[in-house]
Each structure stands twice: as structure tokens, then as C-alpha cells.
Amino acid sequence: MLLCQVGTDLGESALILVLCKMFCILWCCLRGLITSVSFLQCSHDSEEDMFGDYDSFYGNDSLMAQVDDIEDKYLHDKNMDVKADGEIILGNLKSGVHQKEQDNFSASENVVVLKSDKEGACQMCNNNPADSNQELTESVLDDLPSSQLVYFEKMNELSSASRTSPVSKGRDEHVNSFSDKIRDPLSFYAGAEHRNRPTDSSSDSKCVLFKTESLKDHLKSAMTGNARAQTLQVSKSKQLKEAVLSEEIFVARKAIESSSVDIGPFYGLSSKIKDLFRQLRGIETLYEWQHDCLMLESLQQRKNLIYSLPTSGGKTLVAEIIILQELLCRQKDVLMILPYVAIVQEKLHMLGEGSRGAILEITLAKVLHTSKKTQIIGMSATLNNVGDLQKFLQAEYYTNNFRPVELKEYIKIGDTIYAVDSKAEDGFAFSRLLNFKYSSNLEKADPDHIIALVTEVIPKYSCLIFCSTKKSCENVASMVCKYLKKEFRAHREKEKEDLIKSLKSVGNGTVCPVLKQTIPFGIAYHHSGLTNDERKSIEEAYSSGVLCLLACTATLAAGVNLPARRVILRAPYVGNDFLKKNQYKQMIGRAGRAGIDSAGESILIVQEKDKHLVQDLVHSPLENCYSNLLLELTKGMQSLLLSLVGLKIAVTHEEIDNFMLCTLLGVQQQLLSKEKSLSEIIKDGLENLIEKGLLKGRISEKDCNSNSTLTITPLGKATYKGSIDLAYCNLLYRDLKKGLEGLVLESNLHLLYLSTPYDMTSTCSPDWMIYLRQFNQLSAAEQKIADIVGVPESFITKKASGQAIRKNVDNAVVNRFYLTFVLYTLLKETNIWSVSEKFNMSRGYVQNLLSSAASFASCLLRFCEELEEFWVYKALLTELTKRLTYCVKTELIPLMEVAGVLEARAKQLYNTGYKTLAHLANANPETLVRMIEHLSRRQAKQIVSSAKMLLSEKAEALQEEVEELLKVPTNIPGTH
């Protein structure tokens, strides 16, 4: 299945791909098998995060960990008795379903109550004490990944018989049972009659042998069972992996079968799922539209679907339930992809948004072509030309205008507030005059009357002010707090002090002067100039009510779920561009908090000269969603053509034509390609790729319908496997080739230059005095690098002194080398704050540069791995990628490869004597807890477990490399 958000909506349009056979990656991350794979948050979370604040399945703050904590809390209640023979005894076990006044697991009257279906309230354990003891032992070892336990148990007893396992038994019955459940509305409708089912007192018993599998284990087990792919056995290591996987599948199957009796009450899911939503998310019942959507025949028959509702309508909850159905009931694998989330190197975003949309369209088109059984579900708050999207995705459509909180739209001209009213003559109806006395000085400082607007709601309620630029955000925050009364400082004063301490901690002892001034008043700014840690702290403080006012840029509307009672748009502009309808809807969509506010308000501040433009804005329909494959040639059309040939999806002009007809561009070709036919555009693109040396073959006028085969060149293969932008692939090849002639290895400066992203040079404006100062601090050998890459010292000197430049120098190279200086300094100092001050750049920009450089270095490594002539770079780039990824002292990198270990924790471990991966792998968790401050027992166990697995992986990789080296070639001359 593939759940995807489509359309031009940046904030609420989350793309969720539910792909069969691909969840093994996420499962490996979950269990520590692949600790280096991560889902990187590039900019912002989705407006409707799939799991709210529970942004990971793995880790101490993850959804899994919270599930485990909840069950531990009650299952280890003081009233639970454990007999000596290993039997767990529960007094007066009761069964009941979804009672509002009680939790799923609750302790009352000295009993432990588990609410469940009457028929599936509990399962009887085997009376054999040995079996019970074994179960307790397994429970104790639960914190260790089962694959790790099996690995060490079977190191010396590899059995070929383990290649097969009873994984298919009962599968058909299980899936059929689910299908029956999901077709019966009464079996999982979240209505009152189901929620209030009375408790069956007849199920009480004095002492019952009880064994239940925790929801955490059930989820893990189900995901394990899905990772069932057969692999060729070419080495002992791979055979061992298969044996481990086979064992996990067997364990997973037993768990699924043992708990299947409780599957069904909540949309085909266990009643525990509903209790989990209630306990962790406060969701008691579903909205009527959510129930209707989940009951759609298209979903039950796994057809493609697009559903669209206004912002904050609750679309993501439907997606979560569908995902859990796929995982637990249909036993399919799930991969979710959200806006502003990068997976590997491809960013999957909105179809109508530039290069991001082009990449998303490419991905969806490939999925549709190669996997006919994959279900695609798109969700969006902003869809207009839905017919085109339906045809592209071969999907049915569901829409509803439901919004849990009423939204009232206003505009302000001068000191007058008008309500947006389509029935009024000019589209606006008089509402009221502002009632706030302004002095002459205040009028000059606040001509837009922002203080009057915000003091009507804060500090009791929250408020967002959208500004057109980052500097405007900071200015507005500073201005507002200067004129607020002193009483505002007293509101949650202690928590504000804690927030400043937190920001000081994440800033290595430094706090932004503006934030230090504004936070005591409950005010902050929010834009891309903040570091990720700063943004997270500010968002959490705003969500909890410590901060009541944020001055922010449009990116907050696009990516973060931070609603407010009132939203103020300071101007109908984003930068210098007039607002688009989709952007406007995104911003005002933040107004109104479900369950808190009875209504939300948006106020757009308008100058008289813009009134007619604003009339068109608020009353116009949403923009259409168009394909961007033509607008983004190198990241769009050409990238798609190259990958089609490289992946052998389509290798002739005719096959490529047929594929392109199934893209969104193919659906909209009459609108987007009026001068040339789609076939002619494809022909031009293929010829361009051949000219660049990325493809081999001949394309002529007569070949449009021929079957002449195209093949990919080594450079082309390296380009698409390394995810290199085709605009830079030839330039990159030349730079690497030139580097081989005289690579300076005295330091990593030369290699850093090669790893500096090309696409960031356009956003760089060097400070020439800083440039010269940094150049003069280089050694003689390092200064030669500037000449090698094309930035002579004389050029820097003349620019710094303001002299005229006669010699032509490539500005892109000059800017790129300046960014290399930033990275070079950052790796030496490992402090974003000090480096941003040294180069007069925002700390957010510096952090983004570091992240982009780490990604590009990884791409560069893949590029070089495909081209034998660049083998010398491989080891160097591997080490550099690690340094850029972690940006810490070299000695801390091995520790930070362990899941759950960040820089601060790595420093603690290193200073305590745990300096290598082997130290951690052989550590005693109890000793770690004693020696490391603020380390819980659970964290300690996870760190040791992850270190052991990582160490095993490294040993395995080396063993496989040895086996590969010792393998006898099959093409030895004279042997045939």
C-alpha cells in the first residue's frame, strides 16, 4: 500500500507510502540491525505528524518505548503476585471493553483489570512450571533484539534446516478473518454502543494463570514476520543471517496467532490499539467522516484512494489506522514518507512544488509501473484539479468539508476589521474598530497595530504572527515585548527561565540575545535561522503554553503543527512575492485548536493599495497542481529518463513513451507541452543524455517507434546511483579527475571542497575580509589548494581591498571555496554558534550547510564506488562523511554510531572510559547506570544491545569481504 499526500499543500499534505517488501529497513532500524539508517528531518515535521511527538519507533522517547512503559507500569503493579514456580497470578481478572472512566490496564480493589473482548480476555498458560520459567526468562531478555540472541546462540551451530520455517501456517485464515471483520461495521464502529459495552462480571475469577503478549511485542513481532525475503546463500555469514531471520519469523508467527483472538473490535484492530490512542493521544472517538472513510469499499478492496479535507480535519488518524491494519492484520509492510523528510537522498514532497514535486512524481510513477499490487492512498487539504490526480494515481476520491473548529476570516485595513463575506458587495463586511489607545511613539513603532491585536488574546490564548522575512520575525518579537505590561513576565515565569536554560544548553552556553529578551514575556521568533535544537525547544514551549506568541515565517505553516486561537498575517507577501491561495490557506489553517477553542480567527493586515489583490486572493479557487517534470529538467525529466534506462524499466524510445504517458505530465501533456509533443520532448531529453555521455545509443527521427536499445554508461550509472543532480554530474567528474592530479592530503580541506554542495553556492555572499583572513590562516600547502581549484590569492586580496578585478574568475567556484572554509572551521571547532559568528551567517544556515555537505559526501561516495578510476577517494570519503554527519571530535564518532548516543552522551561515555565500540559492547548495563549521570536502565540496555549488534555487523562485513577476496573466480583462463 502507498499512502501519499498530493497537491500543492505544503503543510498538511503528508505523503505516506505503504510499500510491500520494504519495511525490513524500518524493522532493522527498530531492532538495531542497521543502526546507521535514519530518517533525517531536513527542515520541519509534517503538519500532521503520523505519530505526533512520537516521531520514532526506536529510542527512549519512541512510541514503542511509551507502549512498553505503560504496560510495565501496570503489569508490575504491587498487587501482582509471582509464584516461585514462575506462574504469574492476577487476582479477580475482569474483562470489559472501552469504558470511558477506566484505562485499558487499571488497578482497583487490589486487582489488575485488563479490558478486552469477553471471548479474548485472557489466554490460559501451560501448567508446566518449566514452560512458565522459560517464559519469564524470555521476558527478562526482552530488551535484547531477538535476532541478536539467536545470533550468539547459533554462532557455532549453523543448521541448514533453519532455512525453512512454518511461516505460512494460518496466514490465509488470519487475513480472511480480518476481511470478514472489516466488512462488518458493527465489529469495529467506534460508536457509543460499542464503547459502553458493560463489564461481564461472570468472567471474574479468584486466580487465573495469565499470559498476554504486550502490544509492543505484538507490533515488533508483526513487523518481523513481514521481513520474509529469500536471499541467495553465498557465504556462511549470509546463511547465518537467514537462520536468524527464519527464527524471528517463527517467533512472530506464534505471537500473531496467539493474539489474533482480540483482532477486530477497532476497525479490524485489537481493542488495545484504541486504548493506546486514548492514553497517548487523548482520542476517545472518531469523527463521523473518519468512520465513513475507513468504511469505504475502495479501502477494503485495497484500491487506490485520494481523500481531501480542510486543515486540522483529522486526516492523519485515518492514515495511522490504515497503516496498523496493513501491519497487524494484512501483514503487509509499511514505509511512510512525510513532507520535509529525506529518505536516503531523495526528498519526497508535494507534486506541485518545484523539484520536490518532480521527485515525488517520478517515485509514484515508478511504483505504479513496477508494483501493481501496491495500494496508493493520497491525502491533502488542498486539491483543485483532482481529476488529473485521480487519473495519474488511478484512484478513487473522497472529500468532506469537515473542520472540528470553526474558522473566522478577517482582514484589517487601518484600524478597521472586516469579515471575509462572499455575500457582501466587495467581499468584505464591516466587523468592528480596534479598541486600543496608541500614543504617538507607539503608533510610529507599531503602525500595523500588532500590539492591539495580540493583547486581545495573549497570554491566556496563543497567537501566531506570520511575517514575510526572517528579519521581520525578530523585529516584531522585539517590538511587541518592549511595549507589553510587566504583568506578562509573571505568567509561567519559572518555566520560561527553564526554557532559556535549555536554549543555553543546546547553544553550548550561548543564547540568542533577541530570544533572551523576548522569552520572559512569552514571545519568541521561529524561522530557518534557528538550529534544529532551538526550533524544537521553542515549539515544545509554545505547544505547552509557556510561550503564547510566535513571530514566524511561512515555513512554520508548511511543516509544523502549532495551532493558535488567532493567526495574524502581517502582510499578504512571502518575501517579495504576493501570497498564493494555497499559502494563505496554509497559514490561516493554523487558527483554532481542536478540543480547546470553540473557534479560530485569522486576521490579514492589508494596505489600501493591496485591497483589490486581497479580494481576489481570499475569494479565488485553489491553484491547480501541475507536473514539474518539464520545469525541473535536470531533477525532473532527464533524471527520470536516465533512471528508467539504468533500472531497465524502459530501454527503448517506444517503451519510454509508454511509461511517460502514465505520469502526471502524460495526463497533462496537452496543457504543459503545447509547442512540442511529449514524444519530441522525450527525444530531446534522450539526445541530451547521450551528448553528456550518460547514455549510449542512437536516437533519430525514424527511431520514435523503433526498438533500438539504449544502455547506460558507467558515468550515467554512477550519477543515478549517487543521486547526483544531472546539472552538475559532468562538472563533478571533471573536479574529481582534476583532484587525482594533485590531491592535497595534508588536511581534509581539498576533500571538503570536493564535498561542498554545488547547489548552495547561489545562496552564498562572501564577506571578503573574512575570506582573506581565513585564507591567511592556511598553511602553504593548503593555500595551494585555492590555486588548484581556481581561486588565486590575488583575487581574494583585491576583492578585500575593493580593487577592480580584470581577471575572469568563476564566481560559483569562489563561493564554493568560501563555503568550504565554513565547513573546515566547523570540523575543527565543532561549534555551530562560534562558526556562525565568525562568518557572520545564521546558525541555522550553517547547520543546513553541514547537513547538506554530509548528504552530498554520501552521494559522492556512491558515485566514486561505481567508477574504478576514483577508488582512491572511497576510504577518504567514508571517513569524511562520518565527520560531517556527527560534527564532533574524531574520537567520539565510534560511540555516536551506536543508536541512542548523541554528542553529550558520547562525551560522558568517553570521559568515563568507554572509548570504543568494544568497550560499550562488553559493558555491564548496571555499571553504566551507576557511572553515567541521568542514564536510565532502559537506555543503558539499549546502548549495550545496539553496540553488540553494531560490532557483530562490522565483524560480519569484514568476514564477507574476506570470503569475497578468497572466492575462486569462475573465469580463470584455461579452466574451460
Side-chain angles (χ1 to χ4, degrees):
M1 170 195 285
L2 197 149
L3 245 175
C4 62
Q5 239 178 345
V6 293
T8 53
D9 173 6
L10 281 176
E12 196 156 3
S13 290
L15 169 69
I16 305 169
L17 298 177
V18 184
L19 300 172
C20 298
K21 302 296 185 184
M22 292 188 65
F23 201 74
C24 306
I25 297 174
L26 183 55
W27 171 234
C28 291
C29 293
L30 211 167
R31 299 296 267 168
L33 286 170
I34 304 179
T35 55
S36 61
V37 175
S38 62
F39 292 83
L40 304 176
Q41 185 103 5
C42 292
S43 178
H44 297 289
D45 290 328
S46 162
E47 184 272 330
E48 292 183 302
D49 188 358
M50 285 300 300
F51 287 92
D53 293 331
Y54 312 98
D55 57 352
S56 169
F57 277 94
Y58 185 80
N60 304 306
D61 297 324
S62 69
L63 180 65
M64 288 295 192
Q66 297 209 28
V67 173
D68 202 27
D69 288 340
I70 287 174
E71 295 192 331
D72 282 347
K73 176 182 176 182
Y74 293 104
L75 292 177
H76 291 83
D77 186 87
K78 64 180 181 180
N79 299 310
M80 179 184 291
D81 301 317
V82 180
K83 284 190 173 182
D85 62 357
E87 297 170 346
I88 300 179
I89 306 300
L90 299 181
N92 292 334
L93 183 68
K94 296 183 179 181
S95 67
V97 182
H98 303 302
Q99 297 182 6
K100 287 184 177 179
E101 61 277 356
Q102 294 179 335
D103 291 332
N104 184 34
F105 296 96
S106 60
S108 62
E109 300 177 355
N110 296 322
V111 298
V112 176
V113 181
L114 169 67
K115 290 191 280 288
S116 172
D117 278 346
K118 178 180 178 181
E119 307 87 75
C122 64
Q123 295 183 10
M124 300 299 292
C125 299
N126 191 311
N127 288 327
N128 190 332
D131 293 341
S132 300
N133 280 321
Q134 183 179 357
E135 289 159 9
L136 284 179
T137 303
E138 291 171 353
S139 176
V140 171
L141 296 176
D142 181 58
D143 284 318
L144 293 177
S146 59
S147 55
Q148 178 184 327
L149 296 176
V150 176
Y151 177 86
F152 289 113
E153 289 172 3
K154 297 198 174 185
M155 280 290 289
N156 297 316
E157 49 172 337
L158 179 63
S159 171
S160 60
S162 65
R163 286 198 293 261
T164 59
S165 63
V167 295
S168 59
K169 180 181 178 182
R171 180 183 180 92
D172 292 337
E173 294 110 350
H174 184 67
V175 176
N176 290 338
S177 172
F178 169 71
S179 299
D180 293 338
K181 292 270 190 181
I182 207 165
R183 281 175 172 76
D184 178 13
L186 296 178
S187 69
F188 51 80
Y189 174 56
E193 72 278 8
H194 186 75
R195 293 190 310 274
N196 296 320
R197 186 184 302 174
T199 300
D200 182 4
S201 60
S202 65
S203 63
D204 293 358
S205 59
K206 181 64 180 177
C207 288
V208 191
L209 295 180
F210 175 76
K211 177 189 174 188
T212 183
E213 182 170 40
S214 71
L215 181 60
K216 168 191 165 188
D217 292 337
H218 183 61
L219 285 169
K220 287 184 178 181
S221 298
M223 288 185 279
T224 310
N226 297 340
R228 185 165 57 93
Q230 296 296 323
T231 56
L232 293 175
Q233 298 179 25
V234 295
S235 69
K236 290 183 178 180
S237 298
K238 290 184 179 179
Q239 291 178 29
L240 181 58
K241 286 180 180 178
E242 186 167 324
V244 169
L245 182 60
S246 193
E247 175 67 19
E248 291 210 351
I249 290 171
F250 177 72
V251 173
R253 171 58 54 193
K254 288 177 64 179
I256 291 172
E257 290 174 351
S258 67
S259 60
S260 62
V261 103
D262 191 32
I263 287 181
F266 183 60
Y267 295 90
L269 296 165
S270 164
S271 57
K272 289 183 182 180
I273 300 293
K274 183 175 181 179
D275 292 327
L276 182 63
F277 277 121
R278 184 181 70 248
Q279 293 170 23
L280 299 183
R281 306 275 291 281
I283 298 172
E284 292 285 349
T285 60
L286 270 63
Y287 296 131
E288 184 179 354
W289 83 263
Q290 292 171 326
H291 172 74
D292 292 343
C293 188
L294 288 167
M295 291 295 298
L296 289 174
E297 193 70 17
S298 55
L299 279 184
Q300 296 174 26
Q301 295 181 4
R302 301 193 79 250
K303 293 180 180 179
N304 295 347
L305 173 71
I306 298 171
Y307 65 98
S308 175
L309 281 95
T311 300
S312 303
K315 296 183 296 296
T316 299
L317 178 59
V318 171
E320 291 173 342
I321 292 172
I322 293 171
I323 287 174
L324 290 171
Q325 288 174 345
E326 292 294 304
L327 279 173
L328 301 178
C329 302
R330 293 191 177 103
Q331 292 145 47
K332 301 292 184 181
D333 295 320
V334 180
L335 175 65
M336 19 179 233
I337 302 174
L338 306 170
Y340 297 97
V341 176
I343 294 185
V344 192
Q345 300 304 325
E346 290 191 332
K347 298 173 184 173
L348 306 172
H349 296 277
M350 294 340 95
L351 284 170
E353 292 291 328
S355 62
R356 301 171 300 182
I359 294 172
L360 175 55
E361 182 179 349
I362 288 171
T363 305
L364 290 173
K366 288 177 181 176
V367 170
L368 285 164
H369 181 82
T370 59
S371 180
K372 303 300 182 184
K373 293 183 179 181
T374 298
Q375 184 183 16
I376 299 175
I377 300 178
M379 61 180 184
S380 178
T382 53
L383 284 180
N384 194 31
N385 56 332
V386 69
D388 289 350
L389 299 172
Q390 278 186 266
K391 189 173 180 181
F392 167 45
L393 297 176
Q394 303 161 34
E396 297 184 14
Y397 183 54
Y398 174 87
T399 187
N400 194 299
N401 292 323
F402 174 81
R403 197 179 192 275
V405 178
E406 181 187 2
L407 174 61
K408 298 178 181 179
E409 296 179 48
Y410 301 94
I411 69 164
K412 186 187 84 67
I413 302 177
D415 61 353
T416 307
I417 305 292
Y418 298 90
V420 175
D421 185 357
S422 58
K423 298 178 182 178
E425 184 176 348
D426 61 355
F428 304 119
F430 173 81
S431 177
R432 63 186 174 93
L433 292 173
L434 283 178
N435 183 23
F436 191 90
K437 293 182 180 180
Y438 269 77
S439 64
S440 58
N441 288 336
L442 183 55
E443 187 73 40
K444 291 178 182 178
D446 183 23
D448 293 329
H449 307 116
I450 290 174
I451 293 175
L453 294 173
V454 302
T455 51
E456 290 178 344
V457 291
I458 67 170
K460 185 177 180 180
Y461 301 106
S462 57
C463 182
L464 294 175
I465 304 176
F466 285 104
C467 304
S468 57
T469 66
K470 289 183 285 188
K471 190 62 180 174
S472 177
C473 293
E474 298 179 30
N475 291 341
V476 166
S478 296
M479 182 273 294
V480 171
C481 75
K482 284 180 183 177
Y483 293 96
L484 287 180
K485 295 178 181 179
K486 300 296 182 183
E487 289 79 8
F488 280 85
R489 298 179 66 101
H491 181 72
R492 303 182 72 165
E493 186 175 8
K494 175 65 169 61
E495 290 161 288
K496 293 171 187 173
E497 292 173 358
D498 292 340
L499 174 59
I500 292 176
K501 290 178 182 177
S502 173
L503 290 172
K504 188 174 182 179
S505 175
V506 300
N508 290 319
T510 308
V511 180
C512 168
V514 175
L515 292 176
K516 195 172 184 179
Q517 172 200 8
T518 62
I519 286 176
F521 290 89
I523 300 170
Y525 66 86
H526 185 291
H527 57 59
S528 62
L530 297 169
T531 64
N532 292 338
D533 289 333
E534 286 177 306
R535 281 201 295 269
K536 183 178 180 182
S537 295
I538 289 172
E539 289 165 11
E540 289 175 349
Y542 176 83
S543 296
S544 63
V546 176
L547 296 176
C548 56
L549 174 64
L550 287 186
C552 50
T553 52
T555 52
L556 183 138
V560 183
N561 183 20
L562 295 178
R565 162 65 71 91
R566 176 174 290 178
V567 170
I568 300 170
L569 283 68
R570 195 184 180 197
Y573 292 90
V574 174
N576 296 321
D577 300 324
F578 196 79
L579 269 181
K580 296 179 181 179
K581 183 59 177 279
N582 288 326
Q583 293 171 322
Y584 172 71
K585 281 292 188 182
Q586 270 298 308
M587 293 180 189
I588 67 172
R590 304 303 100 198
R593 298 162 298 172
I596 300 176
D597 299 327
S598 58
E601 301 173 337
S602 70
I603 301 175
L604 172 58
I605 299 175
V606 181
Q607 305 302 318
E608 190 66 44
K609 64 181 179 66
D610 292 327
K611 184 176 178 179
H612 66 288
L613 293 173
V614 172
Q615 285 175 329
D616 293 337
L617 171 69
V618 297
H619 297 296
S620 64
L622 295 167
E623 292 88 359
N624 287 336
C625 174
Y626 292 117
S627 169
N628 278 275
L629 290 182
L630 294 182
L631 296 178
E632 297 289 335
L633 273 179
T634 58
K635 291 182 179 179
M637 176 65 86
Q638 292 185 11
S639 176
L640 175 55
L641 295 177
L642 181 66
S643 63
L644 288 178
V645 176
L647 295 170
K648 298 183 180 179
I649 293 174
V651 295
T652 68
H653 195 164
E654 184 178 4
E655 290 175 350
I656 294 171
D657 277 355
N658 291 334
F659 180 94
M660 293 302 299
L661 289 173
C662 297
T663 62
L664 184 59
L665 173 60
V667 172
Q668 299 174 332
Q669 59 180 303
Q670 301 300 324
L671 293 172
L672 303 180
S673 54
K674 295 179 181 179
E675 296 180 0
K676 292 184 177 181
S677 69
L678 183 57
S679 183
E680 289 174 325
I681 293 172
I682 294 170
K683 175 179 170 292
D684 291 345
L686 293 172
E687 287 176 344
N688 185 275
L689 293 174
I690 292 172
E691 185 179 335
K692 285 183 176 182
L694 303 176
L695 291 180
K696 288 190 296 185
R698 293 189 61 185
I699 300 292
S700 64
E701 294 292 338
K702 298 180 181 179
D703 284 334
C704 289
N705 296 313
S706 74
N707 290 319
S708 56
T709 302
L710 295 165
T711 57
I712 195 163
T713 65
L715 177 60
K717 187 177 180 181
T719 299
Y720 90 79
K721 283 207 167 184
S723 298
I724 304 296
D725 188 337
L726 270 64
Y728 308 115
C729 62
N730 292 99
L731 177 59
L732 174 61
Y733 182 83
R734 291 194 297 270
D735 284 346
L736 291 172
K737 197 80 171 174
K738 188 176 181 181
L740 290 177
E741 298 172 5
L743 187 63
V744 178
L745 296 178
E746 181 180 291
S747 68
N748 57 17
L749 180 65
H750 199 169
L751 198 63
L752 264 178
Y753 172 77
L754 296 173
S755 302
T756 302
Y758 291 98
D759 57 2
M760 292 199 69
T761 58
S762 60
T763 63
C764 174
S765 299
D767 182 313
W768 297 107
M769 290 304 298
I770 296 175
Y771 210 144
L772 180 61
R773 184 162 59 248
Q774 291 297 317
F775 181 86
N776 290 333
Q777 292 175 3
L778 299 177
S779 66
E782 290 174 329
Q783 287 182 354
K784 288 181 181 178
I785 299 172
D787 279 329
I788 293 173
V789 301
V791 186
E793 180 181 3
S794 59
F795 173 82
I796 302 174
T797 304
K798 288 180 179 179
K799 291 291 286 186
S801 60
Q803 299 179 40
I805 305 294
R806 296 178 182 177
K807 186 177 180 181
N808 290 329
V809 176
D810 189 338
N811 286 330
V813 173
V814 173
N815 291 357
R816 192 178 181 214
F817 198 59
Y818 186 71
L819 293 177
T820 302
F821 276 148
V822 178
L823 292 170
Y824 186 57
T825 308
L826 192 56
L827 289 188
K828 287 195 295 185
E829 298 184 9
T830 69
N831 188 322
I832 289 176
W833 276 81
S834 64
V835 173
S836 64
E837 291 174 3
K838 186 171 292 186
F839 286 89
N840 196 25
M841 294 175 167
S842 75
R843 51 201 180 276
Y845 180 86
V846 173
Q847 188 175 59
N848 185 45
L849 171 63
L850 178 65
S851 175
S852 297
S855 294
F856 187 65
S858 178
C859 292
L860 193 57
L861 176 59
R862 289 300 309 274
F863 183 87
C864 292
E865 286 175 344
E866 295 296 328
L867 297 170
E868 291 186 7
E869 58 193 300
F870 296 141
W871 66 269
V872 70
Y873 287 114
K874 288 166 61 177
L876 298 171
L877 285 170
T878 300
E879 194 61 33
L880 181 63
T881 301
K882 288 182 181 179
R883 292 212 58 195
L884 289 169
T885 299
Y886 298 110
C887 192
V888 294
K889 299 296 183 182
T890 307
E891 59 268 20
L892 297 181
I893 291 177
L895 301 180
M896 291 185 65
E897 289 183 286
V898 176
V901 177
L902 300 179
E903 182 178 2
R905 182 72 74 207
K907 288 179 179 178
Q908 281 183 311
L909 292 167
Y910 189 87
N911 293 334
T912 312
Y914 296 94
K915 299 186 176 182
T916 67
L917 187 60
H919 283 148
L920 285 182
N922 292 281
N924 185 322
E926 298 298 330
T927 304
L928 280 177
V929 171
R930 288 198 307 270
M931 299 182 69
I932 305 299
E933 190 177 5
H934 304 307
L935 182 68
S936 69
R937 184 169 284 98
R938 178 185 301 280
Q939 291 171 323
K941 288 180 179 180
Q942 288 181 342
I943 287 173
V944 173
S945 175
S946 177
K948 286 180 177 179
M949 186 57 64
L950 188 57
L951 196 63
S952 298
E953 284 176 5
K954 289 179 179 290
E956 247 181 58
L958 290 173
Q959 179 63 32
E960 288 183 5
E961 191 173 339
V962 169
E963 291 174 2
E964 190 65 29
L965 287 172
L966 297 178
K967 187 186 295 183
V968 179
T970 58
N971 58 346
I972 299 175
T975 58
H976 298 289

